Every structure is written in C-alpha cells, then in structure tokens.
Amino acid sequence: MRCDALEENKRVFVREKNNNNMEIHFLPSLLVLSFIATAFGDGGELTLVQELSSKPAQKLSRYGWYGNIRLTMFHIPDDTVVARWLFTVTRGSGFNCGTHNVTMYMRWGAPPVIDPVGRLFPNNTVTSPVLSLNLPMTSSQSNTTFNLSNPAPGDWYLAAHLPRDDGRIEHKGFPSCSYLFQPQLSVRRAVDTPILQATPLTQSASPDRPARLRVFVPEFVSSLSVSVSGCTWWEGLVNGDCSLSLTLGSSSPQGGLVRVNCSLIGCSAVLLAPPWNTWIRVTVDSYHSNRTTAFSISVNYTVGCKPQSVGMSGDDYINRLHGNSSTTTSPGNGSVVAEAGRHNNVSSECVWSVPVLREELDVLSVRFSPINGPNVTVTHTHPTLLTYPLNTQSTGGTLNLEITLNTTNATLGNSSVMACLSSWAPVLALNYSHPCHTGLFSAVGLSVNVSVPGTVIRLPFPQAATWYLTLQLFCNSSDCGNVTVTPQLHVSACIEDCGTYGECRLLRSFSYLYAACVCKAGWSGWGCTDDITAQSYGRQLTAVLLLTLSNLLFIPPIVIAVRRCYITEASVYLFTMFFSTFYHACDQPGLTVMCIMDYDTLQYCDFLGSVCSIWVTVLCMARVRDTFKHMLFMLGTLLIAMSMQLDRRGLWNMLGPILCAVLAMVTSWVYRGLKRKQCYPPSWRRWVLFLLPGLASALVGVCVYVFAETEDNYLYTHSLWHVLVASSVVFLLPPRETDSMNTWSPGVCGYTLCHSTKEELYTVT
C-alpha cells in the first residue's frame, strides 16, 4: 500500500523550466491566509486555508559525507489537504560551472538516512525509507514542484546535494561555481474538518470533491473500525452501489495508509494497533464519474486492556530518584521477586508496563533505564511493555537498543524471548506467525535465546514519537516460568562514535542539531565501517612518512640563514618545520596518528608558520635597513596571526602578506636601481643562478598546491609542496651583508659621538 501511495505521488511530480510567470509567488517568512469556502453536500461547508513558507537559499556542495548536504525542515500543520513544495536551484556563471543533477530526499519525522555512493551500513542498522527526487539543471535557474495529498502532519525534513565529490581539494577564496538551493512550501488546510465519532455522520463525496474527516485515537486503543453504509445518489435515489474508496491515515515515505474499496452495500476498514494519542485522517473518494454519493460513516473503538505498572508504587519513584534506600522495592533480585508477585494480580487481558526513567546526559545523548533496576521479568502469559518518549531534539542522533538474556536460569531450554520495537503504538500480539508491525507503520523485531543471548539494533535518526518495546517469552513446554532480560536503550550522537577511522561531528541546520561521521583513510559508510576503499597500513605509514619527513628539507634553509647571520629568519623556518611536521603526524587517521598537543593548535601554528616564512623571506630579499626590517617582521606577524584567527583557510591570509612583501621588495629594488642608474641586483649570475630558479620553484609549488591536490594524491602533492617551498628559500635567501655595511665606528665631532651619513651600498654577489 505504501508503494502505491508513493507511485501516485510521483505521478504528480512535475518538472518546470525557468518561468518568469510562476503559478505561486512566495513571500519569504510570511504566512498568507486566503479563505475559500467550498460546499461538500450534506456534510456542510469545508473552509480551506492556504499557508506559505520559505527557507533562505543555501549553497549546495558535492556529496562526500553527510555534512555536505543542506538540511531544511518544514512543519506541516494538522488537517493539511495538499502540500506543494517548490524547489529552485540557481547556478552561477563561472567558467567551471557544469551541468549537474541536484538530488533531494524527503522524510517525515526525522532527517533522511541516505547512502548516495552505495556504501554499507554498520551491522544491525535499520533505516527508514525516504522519498528521492532529482532536479536536472537545464538552465541557469531551474524549478521543480512536488505535490503530496494528505501529508502526515508534523516536521518534514528535506536534504539536497550535488553529485558525488570527485576528491579535488578546493581552496577557499579561489573562483568556484556556486549552486544555490531554495525550498518553499505551500499548504492548504481544512480548518473545520468534521470529527468522526461513534454516532453516524452523513457526508457526501464526488470525484473532484472527496469527503474529509478526522478521528482522535486515545491511548490503549487496540483496534479502530471505520464503516461506510447507506449510500445514495445525490438525487436521493437509493442506489445500493457505494462506488467509494475509504482511506485511513496520511501519506509519508514510511507508509501510513490503509485503503479499502467499498462494495454494493458499503465497506469497513479495520486498523489494528492504531497510533495512540493522535488524530487520524479519514478520506472518502468517489470513483464514479459525474456522480455525487451521500453516505453514512461511523467509527468504533476496541480497547483490549490498559497496561498496568508493576514493581513499584508512585511514591517509590520519587524515593528512588532521591536515592532513598528505604524504598519498598530494591534493585537486583529483590525487584524481580516483587514484580513476579505483582504479576499474579494482573488480569489475563493486560500487559505489564515497566516504568522507565529518562536521563538527558549531553547533546544528542539520552539514556532510558527501568526504574526498578536493569533487569526486567518476562513471562509467556502476558507481554511486558516499556515506553520510551523521543522528542525532536533527540532525532538527530542514533537510537541504540541492546537486549541481553539472563542465561543463569537452567530451565530455559529451547525458550526464546521475542521483542518488538515500534513507534506511535505498541505491538501487543506477539507470536511467530504475526509480523512485527502496527496498523500503519512497520516495527523492528528481535529475538534472544540460550544460543544467542544478546542482540542489538541501531536506528539512525529515529522518528520523533513515543517508542514502545514489547517483550514476551515463548517456549515449547506448558510450564515456561519466568526469565529476566536486560533491555538497554539510549540515544547517542553517532554509531559507536564512528569507530577507529572516523570522527563524530555535531552539525547544525538553523536551530536543529544532528550528528554524522566523517571518515578517513579511505573508510566510508554511515559509521565508517565500509572498508571497500580503505587504505592499507602500509599506505597510511607511507603517507605519514612522506608528509612529515618532507619538512626536513627546511634544514638547509635554516643552516644557510644561520651562516648568513639571518637569525630571525632561521627561527621562523625552524618554527615552521617543527609544527608542520607534527601537524601532519596528527592529521593522519587510524593507527599512524601521533599528536603531541591539541590538533587545532598544531594546525594554527602550521598555517601561521607557513605564511610568516614567506613574509620574512621576501622582506629579507628587499634589503631594507635592519630597524625597518624587524619592525615589519613583528608588525606583519601580528597581523597575520590576527587574520589566521578570523579565517584560517582564507585566500588573503597568504596572498595579502605576499603582495605586501613583494611590493616592499620591488619598491626597494627600484629605488636602488634609480639611485645607481643600473638594474638591481646588478649581477646577472644572481638572476640566472638564484632568483629565477627560486621564483620558478615557488611558482611550481603554488600551482601544485592550488590546482593539483586531490584526496587521493594528497600525500604526494603536498609533500612536493614542502620540497619546492624549502628549495625556493635556499635560492631566494640573499647573501650575507659585509661588515662594513652593518657596523659603524663612532667618531668625535666636537663633543658628540656621530657616524658617517654616507649611504650604505649593499653589494649583491
């Protein structure tokens, strides 16, 4: 039934080219209400309200991991008849802008769990279906609309991204093509939808005007039955032909629809285990052409039982929370005995409900534990029920459920404990033949026995709802007795903290927080457990050796700077070599990582030292006086440190100091050339043997760094960048100044000490 609903929704999916006269004009962040009254036969008038909402445009990225998607959230109110999304993608006009398809995913209740590159999920991971859409970029601006009838009320999450990342490393500040994605939503609500009750209600439906109703399902309802009867034509003739279709529920990628075609005398739709404490939509469509059919519709509830709490009284809960040891029930074996005693007094129709304590530990970290202790008693006569409420703030993490069977009981034999984890409503009819699902949504089934005493499941991005865990014992003998299990349910940010080759990162979309794994060393997948492209230990070791040992080529520039009495420059080169070496050692994933201090500190010092090395080298080539040179050294370093703190990867962090230093050098050289009336430096050997090779080495290094680096060849290209930069310093560092140029001898001019004001001529060899 869910597949039929999705196919029907996809048929109304329309692709539109750029059109200046758009059907719907959206006002960002503004709700526009327009009231349209439409007659619905004897059922009265149904007022439709239209609401419009928009989200700001976001820049799309190529998909490499979940952090590359652009996640937005829309709220669909209750009684929404039709939801219409408009997706607009605007492409930049850069020279490297290509034609790409924009992929979008939609899911109700939680962010979509996607795998665009076909990687494996971790073991025991259960995912929910999502709705996938594609938007081809046929022009500089493309629009796409998607209509969904009777959408499920609540939060809808939309994720969008460009095709898979090609691995090219793009440096911030360089020209790149931008794709801006902006979603907008228009909903039409039926604000005065009739409420369906046990008393029959007369309604009418036509092919273009279905009857819309709603019914509230209270807690503990085990089944819901909606009946249609007494069909007549609009002219009042008793026809006996109910050409109607009865639908319960709302549309969503997870399902949620039950549809029944009526026969001659009517029809009835029975919904077992309906969602509790919520409204369910009832839609009656007429598929007879040009005919309005009047009918009578009613609803009937069935309450099998009301779960009863076991193990502790109301006062015991407060005492347990305050740590009072005088409670009537103690944890451990004593709690099991107390529970067993209470079980004997429970009606055979009811389930045993175990109270659960919810603890919020951290961001995206919630733990649920039974108040009466970790062990829960399970019998074969009645199901045991545990309730776990999840709010919207918990949907950005991973729901982890682990069930462990206590195998110390020697009477277990071939017995097994069946478990069913469901949302919105519990599954109380557990058996081997009955599938684990509720009336509208599927659930997750588990089983533990003596041979498999423990099992675990993981649900990334669980839906915001109340989750129920039902446990029951099944055995072959007539006298099964009781067993104890330990259910542990908690919400964590990522699956097992992304393992050895991944890092769990907290992401934010406006005010919504969610978490995802970023993988290293070629590992991939939702939890960084897919090793299909993983790097071997040898490759990891090669990478760390190349990236660290290539920095040792800064030793020759350090030695040359010391021999030529450039002590400040040598200190900067030593600083750069040290922090670049240990930054790349800390930047490696897996088993080859080594961090001597915080990673962020190492990265900052590496970036700062690299730019300062260029700064002091070019200023040293300018041959300015020592006083001005050291003043520029200090002032430039402070400004570079400030810019690094503002934007560490900004283009102007490196380009700005280089341009300023080159401008100072050119000004100094031009001034000396005009003073001497000859080219400066005057020696052609200096140009041919030192300056030109040094400039060529620096330019090649910059080109490799900017244009050639990718994720796959990073260890080679970045190591080559280290070699070329260190080599350029060896060639560009000017020779030592003579003593006569750097010192002066005081002379006696009357009663004061003075020195010759003759211009110091710097000789370049």
Side-chain angles (χ1 to χ4, degrees):
M1 192 66 65
R2 181 186 62 200
C3 297
D4 296 338
L6 290 179
E7 291 298 329
E8 180 180 352
N9 294 329
K10 288 186 177 180
R11 283 195 294 268
V12 299
F13 177 70
V14 182
R15 292 185 174 91
E16 300 177 355
K17 295 185 178 180
N18 185 20
N19 190 351
N20 294 328
N21 299 322
M22 297 169 57
E23 296 180 5
I24 296 180
H25 299 276
F26 288 91
L27 299 179
S29 304
L30 181 64
L31 297 181
V32 181
L33 302 181
S34 60
F35 296 91
I36 305 173
T38 306
F40 271 75
D42 296 339
E45 294 184 349
L46 193 64
T47 303
L48 299 181
V49 177
Q50 185 172 338
E51 298 182 359
L52 310 178
S53 61
S54 176
K55 297 294 183 180
Q58 300 184 73
K59 184 179 179 181
L60 293 177
S61 301
R62 289 179 174 270
Y63 185 85
W65 65 294
Y66 202 84
N68 298 132
I69 71 166
R70 295 298 173 260
L71 184 67
T72 55
M73 179 176 62
F74 288 95
H75 181 77
I76 293 184
D78 294 335
D79 303 328
T80 299
V81 176
V82 176
R84 184 176 189 263
W85 280 273
L86 173 65
F87 309 116
T88 303
V89 177
T90 304
R91 184 178 59 191
S93 57
F95 66 94
N96 56 348
C97 287
T99 301
H100 301 295
N101 289 342
V102 178
T103 307
M104 296 166 289
Y105 303 89
M106 298 179 64
R107 186 186 174 200
W108 169 58
V113 180
I114 60 176
D115 183 26
V117 296
R119 299 307 185 195
L120 298 177
F121 283 90
N123 295 331
N124 305 317
T125 301
V126 180
T127 60
S128 298
V130 298
L131 183 62
S132 177
L133 308 173
N134 280 324
L135 172 58
M137 290 298 300
T138 57
S139 60
S140 60
Q141 185 178 24
S142 296
N143 300 325
T144 297
T145 60
F146 175 73
N147 298 336
L148 186 62
S149 300
N150 295 325
D155 295 329
W156 282 72
Y157 295 80
L158 172 66
H161 63 83
L162 291 174
R164 182 180 179 182
D165 189 7
D166 55 3
R168 181 176 175 270
I169 299 177
E170 295 184 358
H171 298 279
K172 188 176 181 180
F174 288 93
S176 60
C177 187
S178 61
Y179 295 81
L180 297 180
F181 173 74
Q182 184 176 21
Q184 297 168 323
L185 173 64
S186 171
V187 298
R188 180 170 294 180
R189 297 194 300 118
V191 294
D192 52 356
T193 305
I195 298 177
L196 187 59
Q197 298 178 353
T199 303
L201 186 65
T202 302
Q203 293 287 299
S204 63
S206 60
D208 58 346
R209 191 176 298 171
R212 304 180 188 278
L213 307 96
R214 60 174 180 166
V215 57
F216 183 78
V217 180
E219 201 170 5
F220 310 127
V221 171
S222 57
S223 66
L224 174 70
S225 176
V226 178
S227 301
V228 173
S229 61
C231 298
T232 61
W233 288 358
W234 183 251
E235 292 79 3
L237 299 178
V238 178
N239 182 8
D241 182 10
C242 288
S243 302
L244 302 174
S245 175
L246 176 61
T247 304
L248 304 182
S250 304
S251 299
S252 70
Q254 294 93 319
L257 286 176
V258 173
R259 181 172 299 169
V260 176
N261 291 328
C262 297
S263 61
L264 295 178
I265 59 175
C267 60
S268 178
V270 178
L271 188 62
L272 299 177
W276 290 354
N277 290 328
T278 186
W279 290 94
I280 293 183
R281 296 174 183 169
V282 179
T283 306
V284 181
D285 297 278
S286 175
Y287 53 84
H288 197 289
S289 60
N290 300 326
R291 177 183 296 175
T292 299
T293 305
F295 57 91
S296 177
I297 185 170
S298 61
V299 64
N300 184 30
Y301 299 101
T302 300
V303 179
C305 68
K306 293 184 178 181
Q308 299 184 10
S309 298
V310 296
M312 300 180 69
S313 64
D315 295 337
D316 293 335
Y317 300 157
I318 304 300
N319 295 332
R320 177 62 55 84
L321 291 176
H322 286 282
N324 191 345
S325 60
S326 62
T327 55
T328 57
T329 307
S330 60
N333 295 331
S335 65
V336 176
V337 174
E339 288 183 8
R342 294 289 300 273
H343 287 170
N344 295 331
N345 300 325
V346 180
S347 169
S348 60
E349 297 179 352
C350 291
V351 298
W352 295 325
S353 179
V354 178
V356 175
L357 174 66
R358 172 191 170 96
E359 300 177 85
E360 294 192 6
L361 305 178
D362 202 347
V363 179
L364 296 181
S365 180
V366 181
R367 181 176 61 189
F368 296 89
S369 56
I371 282 187
N372 203 40
N375 296 327
V376 174
T377 302
V378 181
T379 68
H380 71 287
T381 57
H382 303 90
T384 301
L385 181 65
L386 295 91
T387 305
Y388 308 102
L390 287 185
N391 52 20
T392 304
Q393 290 75 18
S394 302
T395 60
T398 300
L399 179 66
N400 305 272
L401 173 62
E402 182 178 1
I403 300 178
T404 306
L405 176 65
N406 186 2
T407 58
T408 58
N409 192 344
T411 62
L412 287 176
N414 296 328
S415 303
S416 62
V417 176
M418 293 187 63
C420 187
L421 180 65
S422 59
S423 60
W424 297 102
V427 178
L428 302 180
L430 288 180
N431 52 61
Y432 287 105
S433 59
H434 190 277
C436 183
H437 66 79
T438 61
L440 295 179
F441 306 104
S442 61
V444 182
L446 305 91
S447 178
V448 291
N449 49 44
V450 176
S451 58
V452 184
T455 183
V456 60
I457 60 168
R458 306 179 180 92
L459 281 75
F461 298 157
Q463 192 177 17
T466 300
W467 290 77
Y468 300 90
L469 177 63
T470 308
L471 302 167
Q472 191 167 1
L473 176 64
F474 290 89
C475 55
N476 297 327
S477 60
S478 59
D479 185 14
C480 290
N482 300 335
V483 297
T484 58
V485 297
T486 305
Q488 297 179 354
L489 189 142
H490 68 279
V491 177
S492 61
C494 298
I495 296 179
E496 295 183 353
D497 203 22
C498 301
T500 306
Y501 295 95
E503 177 184 354
C504 184
R505 294 188 181 179
L506 186 65
L507 308 172
R508 182 176 65 88
S509 175
F510 302 98
S511 60
Y512 180 75
L513 296 177
Y514 59 103
C517 291
V518 55
C519 307
K520 298 182 179 180
W523 290 74
S524 58
W526 190 263
C528 300
T529 56
D530 192 340
D531 60 351
I532 187 173
T533 58
Q535 299 177 4
S536 62
Y537 177 77
R539 178 176 172 81
Q540 296 179 41
L541 185 60
T542 302
V544 69
L545 290 178
L546 282 176
L547 291 171
T548 54
L549 297 182
S550 59
N551 288 282
L552 297 180
L553 287 200
F554 274 93
I555 294 179
I558 295 173
V559 174
I560 293 175
V562 172
R563 289 178 59 87
R564 297 178 182 178
C565 295
Y566 297 130
I567 305 302
T568 304
E569 291 83 344
S571 302
V572 175
Y573 301 152
L574 179 62
F575 179 90
T576 303
M577 182 186 70
F578 177 84
F579 281 101
S580 179
T581 299
F582 287 100
Y583 162 66
H584 286 291
C586 184
D587 190 47
Q588 300 306 305
L591 303 177
T592 59
V593 63
M594 185 187 71
C595 298
I596 62 172
M597 60 180 68
D598 182 66
Y599 174 83
D600 187 71
T601 303
L602 292 173
Q603 186 187 67
Y604 179 84
C605 293
D606 173 55
F607 288 16
L608 177 64
S610 300
V611 180
C612 288
S613 297
I614 301 175
W615 172 253
V616 299
T617 301
V618 179
L619 286 181
C620 184
M621 295 171 60
R623 291 288 198 178
V624 296
R625 294 180 181 273
D626 288 347
T627 302
F628 296 106
K629 183 177 72 171
H630 290 96
M631 180 199 69
L632 292 175
F633 280 178
M634 181 59 65
L635 179 61
T637 301
L638 294 176
L639 292 177
I640 292 171
M642 179 195 67
S643 64
M644 287 289 176
Q645 181 65 28
L646 294 176
D647 187 4
R648 191 171 302 177
R649 298 184 179 274
L651 173 63
W652 287 98
N653 288 337
M654 180 177 293
L655 190 59
I658 291 177
L659 293 179
C660 293
V662 170
L663 179 61
M665 183 188 69
V666 171
T667 302
S668 176
W669 284 10
V670 171
Y671 174 77
R672 294 180 183 277
L674 293 176
K675 272 303 250 191
R676 300 180 181 184
K677 298 181 180 180
Q678 61 178 348
C679 181
Y680 186 88
S683 174
W684 65 270
R685 291 185 178 87
R686 180 67 184 171
W687 283 96
V688 174
L689 300 180
F690 295 95
L691 294 181
L692 293 181
L695 291 175
S697 178
L699 289 176
V700 172
V702 170
C703 292
V704 170
Y705 177 79
V706 174
F707 303 107
E709 281 190 357
T710 63
E711 296 289 346
D712 295 331
N713 64 12
Y714 178 79
L715 70 162
Y716 305 110
T717 54
H718 202 77
S719 300
L720 182 60
W721 154 258
H722 291 163
V723 174
L724 292 175
V725 170
S727 302
S728 65
V729 174
V730 173
F731 286 102
L732 296 177
L733 202 63
R736 179 180 180 180
E737 301 178 11
T738 59
D739 294 339
S740 61
M741 300 174 187
N742 295 320
T743 60
W744 59 274
S745 300
V748 179
C749 301
Y751 295 98
T752 59
L753 293 177
C754 62
H755 68 91
S756 176
T757 58
K758 181 179 179 180
E759 179 186 3
E760 297 178 354
L761 300 179
Y762 294 89
T763 304
V764 179
T765 59

